[in-house]
Amino acid sequence: EVQLQESGPGLVKPSQSLSLTCSVTGYSITSNYWGWIRKFPGNKMEWMGYISYSGSTSYNPSLKSRISITRDTSKNQFFLQLNSVTTEDTATYYCARAGLRRVPFDYWGQGVMVTVSS
Amino acid sequence: DIVLTQSPATLSVTPGESVSLSCRASQGISTSIHWYQQKSNESPRLLIKYASQSISGIPSRFSGSGSGTDFTLSINRVESEDFSVYYCQQSYSLPYTFGAGTKLELK
């Protein structure tokens, strides 16, 4: 069974970097696409980006140059780094698997809530 | 970016009723729409892909329709476990975007 699990700090200070790990079991991240999605307080959802089976990436332009998604295939993990965070980055962050067409997201992690506050 | 408008924002129903949830795109997106259900304190669950394609393990009372700009998620005879928030998501063009959600609540 495909399972995804996010991990990382629940509290980040403004201007610092947010770093999250998604650990995948039951499926290799060298297949399919793997994404990060966040849900803000108030329920708005935002696609942040993905990393492909080959390691190529695509990001939401709204995040400009602040975002980076990388991976460690030996550990079957992929990572999110979001730089220069503000309080507006407070959200629940989900990692998810997508099909070979990059969508839809068919398996999701349980989510990790990240608060940006001093 | 493509804007998805979901309506209504909240739908109050009694178990056994059949309902339709709407998702309207700001431009034509063919059938590149997907529907998710999210229960409180859970992660989203994929219900329907590409407007009308069913997903293994999803009850048959859930169905989707539409193309172009107007899409519908239908629930035939709502059950108590269906009370949650429903989101549509488009994959026609990057960045992928989500609707604001429709909350299905118990009347």
Side-chain angles (χ1 to χ4, degrees), chain B residues 17-38:
Chain B
E17 283 187 62
S18 294
V19 299
S20 293
L21 284 60
S22 173
C23 178
R24 178 165 292 177
S26 58
Q27 66 182 75
I29 58 171
S30 185
T31 57
S32 298
I33 202 81
H34 318 288
W35 291 93
Y36 301 87
Q37 174 193 56
Q38 187 171 29

Side-chain angles (χ1 to χ4, degrees), chain A residues 79-109:
Chain A
F79 312 99
L80 171 70
Q81 181 169 320
L82 186 65
N83 299 322
S84 305
V85 298
T86 71
T87 55
E88 295 188 352
D89 294 309
T90 293
T92 298
Y93 288 75
Y94 296 95
C95 60
R97 187 190 83 164
L100 292 176
R101 296 172 69 178
R102 302 179 181 84
V103 282
F105 300 107
D106 55 1
Y107 288 92
W108 295 65

Side-chain angles (χ1 to χ4, degrees), chain B residues 1-4 25-29 90 92-98:
Chain B
D1 297 3
I2 294 174
V3 176
L4 299 178
S26 58
Q27 66 182 75
I29 58 171
Q90 66 82 20
Y92 185 80
S93 67
L94 291 173
Y96 304 140
T97 51
F98 290 83

Side-chain angles (χ1 to χ4, degrees), chain B residues 6 9-10 12 19 23 34 42 49-50 52-53 59 61-62 81 91-93 95-96 99 104 106:
Chain B
Q6 291 190 244
T10 303
S12 301
V19 299
C23 178
H34 318 288
E42 294 186 8
K49 63 180 181 180
Y50 294 103
S52 62
Q53 295 181 19
R61 63 181 180 275
F62 292 94
E81 65 187 31
S91 62
Y92 185 80
S93 67
Y96 304 140
L104 187 67
L106 179 64

